[in-house]
Structures are given as structure tokens and as C-alpha cells.
């Protein structure tokens, strides 16, 4: 059975992760949905941004998340979003709302689905998890959000991946 060959390394990795102390200065927050703090944690993370927000999104229909990103952009935070092209081309999508307001947005059509959901905040904080930036994720689905603070090396690696996705994606122009 194939699972067996991975069970021991996986158990060892999990045991080490539980036993390993967090490096000095690193902190984390977790939230779950429905109604267990996931959306609030995403919004709090956006509001705490001071310099930059690099966002990767699969499906993006959350009006509160879009409004928080636009507020950040208006207060001078460098906000940019790359999202899945197919998931954001049917019906309402917040990517159009942000693009129309002037926020740089690109759509990625290089994969069956561009299923990433993360934000790199100020180059030192990472928000990730299964949480799609949608109303359903906040109210109907079982989802999770993990925010890691003061993790510059990890945030840098995610920022590199975000940049790769950004470069391969197509700009979404403003609608006039």
C-alpha cells in the first residue's frame, strides 16, 4: 500500500512540528469558518498592512475583502491581485470592482485552476489556508485561515511565487 511508505516520514514531520518551538518573534493566528473568525482574521490582516499586499486568489466574490483591499490601496498600501481567470469570469467577481477602482489586477489562465489563496503582507506576514475570498467561504463552507507574523523568509518565498504568477498573467484593464 502506497500510503504506508509515507506514513512514517509524515508522522515524524508532524511530531517534529509539534515539538519545535516557534522562532523568536514569530506569531500566528488561526480562524475557521463558518463563523469562527476566518473572515475577520483576513480583514484584520488587510487592515494591518502598511506597505504592500500581494494577493493570490482563486474565486473572489467577497465584498468585505474587496472593500478592505480598496481601503488599503486608498491609504497608500501597494495592493496587487492575481486571480484565476475562469473562476473570475462568470457572474460577479470582486476583481472587476478592484480593477475599475485602479487596483492592479491580473488574471491567470495557465492552469486548469489557479487555486492559490494567500496574501503576502508588508513582506513579513503571510495569510494562507483553504479560505477562498468568497461569501460562501465565510458563511457556508468549512474553511481555514492561518496568519503567520514575522516570517520574512517564508513570506519572501511566497512573494516569489506570487511574482511568478503575476508575470504569467494577463492585466485586467479598467472598464469605462
Amino acid at each position: 500500500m502506497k500510503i504506508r511508505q509515507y506514513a512514517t516520514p509524515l508522522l515524524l514531520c508532524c511530531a517534529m512540528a509539534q515539538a519545535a518551538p516557534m522562532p523568536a518573534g514569530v506569531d500566528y493566528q488561526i480562524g475557521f469558518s463558518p463563523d469562527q473568525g476566518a473572515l475577520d482574521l483576513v480583514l484584520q490582516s488587510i487592515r494591518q498592512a502598511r506597505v504592500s499586499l500581494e494577493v493570490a486568489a482563486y474565486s473572489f466574490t467577497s465584498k468585505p475583502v474587496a472593500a478592505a483591499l480598496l481601503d488599503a490601496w486608498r491609504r497608500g498600501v501597494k495592493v496587487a491581485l492575481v486571480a484565476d481567470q475562469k473562476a473570475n469570469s462568470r457572474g460577479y467577481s470582486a476583481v472587476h470592482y478592484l480593477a475599475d477602482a485602479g487596483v492592479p489586477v491580473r488574471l491567470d489562465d495557465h492552469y486548469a485552476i489557479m487555486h492559490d489563496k494567500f496574501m503576502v503582507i508588508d513582506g513579513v506576514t503571510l495569510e494562507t489556508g483553504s479560505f477562498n475570498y468568497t461569501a460562501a467561504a465565510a458563511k457556508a463552507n468549512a474553511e481555514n485561515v492561518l496568519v503567520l507574523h514575522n516570517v520574512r523568509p517564508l513570506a519572501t518565498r511566497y512573494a516569489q511565487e506570487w511574482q511568478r504568477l503575476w508575470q504569467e498573467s494577463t492585466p485586467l484593464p479598467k472598464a469605462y
Side-chain angles (χ1 to χ4, degrees):
M1 186 178 221
K2 286 192 180 241
I3 285 194
R4 229 180 200 169
Q5 75 187 53
Y6 299 110
T8 302
L10 179 62
L11 290 173
L12 179 61
C13 182
C14 290
M16 288 173 50
Q18 290 176 352
M22 295 285 264
V26 172
D27 193 16
Y28 68 92
Q29 295 173 280
I30 56 173
F32 300 94
S33 63
D35 301 322
Q36 295 180 58
L39 177 60
D40 290 339
L41 186 52
V42 169
L43 297 174
Q44 175 188 340
S45 298
I46 294 168
R47 289 181 190 122
Q48 290 176 346
R50 297 293 170 251
V51 178
S52 62
L53 277 159
E54 296 159 320
V55 182
Y58 170 60
S59 181
F60 188 15
T61 61
S62 173
K63 292 177 182 178
V65 173
L69 288 171
L70 185 56
D71 287 346
W73 183 76
R74 287 180 174 156
R75 70 174 190 269
V77 175
K78 181 183 170 198
V79 177
L81 166 75
V82 61
D84 181 76
Q85 190 273 329
K86 289 175 281 309
N88 293 284
S89 296
R90 309 179 293 267
Y92 171 78
S93 174
V95 299
H96 299 286
Y97 168 77
L98 292 172
D100 289 348
V103 175
V105 174
R106 290 189 178 185
L107 296 178
D108 196 332
D109 66 353
H110 284 74
Y111 309 97
I113 57 174
M114 197 286 295
H115 207 235
D116 284 313
K117 303 151 220 152
F118 66 85
M119 293 184 198
V120 178
I121 304 159
D122 297 339
V124 296
T125 299
L126 175 66
E127 180 273 316
T128 190
S130 67
F131 191 84
N132 283 301
Y133 306 119
T134 64
K139 301 237 183 255
N141 299 346
E143 306 264 2
N144 68 82
V145 172
L146 172 64
V147 178
L148 299 165
H149 301 277
N150 301 312
V151 291
R152 186 176 299 278
L154 186 58
T156 297
R157 180 61 188 101
Y158 269 81
Q160 290 168 346
E161 177 61 9
W162 182 89
Q163 189 62 235
R164 187 189 68 74
L165 294 168
W166 180 261
Q167 292 302 320
E168 74 185 15
S169 300
T170 305
L172 184 65
K174 284 185 181 183
Y176 291 99

